[in-house]
Amino acid sequence: MRTEGTLAKWNDDRGFGFVTPTQGGPEVFAHISAFPRDGQRPRLGERLTFEIGTGKDGKQQAKHILYPARLTAKPYRLSEPARRRDKPGLLGRVIPLVFLIALGAYSYDQYTRRDPPQMNSEVQPPQMATAAPSSNTGTTVESSDSVTSTSFNCDGRTHCSQMTSCAEAEFFLSNCPNVEMDGNHDGEPCEQQWCN
């Protein structure tokens, strides 16, 4: 039930005051949260209507306070809130998904068709052994260049733990720069792992 009254006391800094009911009785506590949120502060002596309820402390408190003398105008808004567009339909979701799948399939196809990258190799192709006639005898002698295995190439490996055989370690030691496979510098690589 609504009751009429007048705002008798108001502490604007703390946001509360007291309302004196028109039909008499004790003053009723009024908190700023019970007033309408119209941007106007409560004024002393202003007529109010309110409902009497119980506060957190169990005492009577004014609730749902209204100003019958004030005009009830809608609060001014700077702009209308942006309308949210409707969600895209099934077709609007499927087309981008199909496009992404087609792009992924095309990219994968191009990736699998490309040539593997060529490693830079400092190894010269093996030279063929040539036979040269000896000047004092009629026999032929092979040149000092030995035929190297074409299955190995310098690919940046430098340690014995990266090799798979003694032949590979020997190839790397004799043909590749910066290898660290001959700890005692005797010309035999990977003595404890491969070449023992």
Side-chain angles (χ1 to χ4, degrees):
M1 178 172 137
R2 295 204 68 79
T3 307
E4 289 187 16
T6 306
L7 186 61
K9 298 176 186 170
W10 183 252
N11 186 339
D12 201 39
D13 293 336
R14 297 182 66 191
F16 72 89
F18 292 92
V19 179
T20 304
T22 309
Q23 59 249 84
E27 291 182 336
V28 180
F29 177 80
H31 191 265
I32 188 71
S33 62
F35 286 88
R37 299 173 198 263
D38 60 358
Q40 297 181 28
R41 304 298 287 182
R43 292 185 292 252
L44 285 176
E46 192 168 24
R47 289 192 54 223
L48 308 170
T49 62
F50 58 94
E51 294 176 6
I52 296 178
T54 321
K56 292 179 183 177
D57 57 357
K59 296 180 181 179
Q60 285 188 346
Q61 181 175 345
K63 305 260 185 186
H64 309 290
I65 300 173
L66 296 175
Y67 303 107
R70 286 189 191 175
L71 296 175
T72 56
K74 290 184 179 178
Y76 176 73
R77 288 190 180 182
L78 295 176
S79 64
E80 285 291 318
R83 284 185 148 182
R84 200 176 108 191
R85 295 187 333 181
D86 294 332
K87 292 182 180 178
L90 180 62
L91 192 60
R93 290 185 219 155
V94 171
I95 289 175
L97 184 62
V98 169
F99 177 74
L100 287 175
I101 291 172
L103 181 64
Y106 175 76
S107 299
Y108 179 75
D109 183 53
Q110 292 299 314
Y111 177 76
T112 56
R113 287 186 183 188
R114 70 181 179 94
D115 292 332
Q118 299 295 324
M119 296 294 228
N120 286 341
S121 168
E122 295 181 17
V123 177
Q124 305 272 334
Q127 297 178 357
M128 299 298 285
T130 58
S134 176
S135 61
N136 53 359
T137 64
T139 62
T140 60
V141 178
E142 284 191 12
S143 71
S144 62
D145 292 335
S146 64
V147 178
T148 58
S149 172
T150 59
S151 64
F152 305 124
N153 62 359
C154 295
D155 55 7
R157 294 181 287 167
T158 58
H159 299 285
C160 292
S161 61
Q162 298 168 323
M163 300 296 124
T164 57
S165 68
C166 181
E168 185 178 34
E170 287 173 347
F171 172 83
F172 271 75
L173 183 63
S174 61
N175 297 307
C176 301
N178 303 322
V179 292
E180 299 173 7
M181 292 184 235
D182 189 12
N184 58 3
H185 304 291
D186 65 349
E188 190 173 336
C190 304
E191 295 164 6
Q192 295 177 352
Q193 293 169 333
W194 296 109
C195 303
N196 50 4

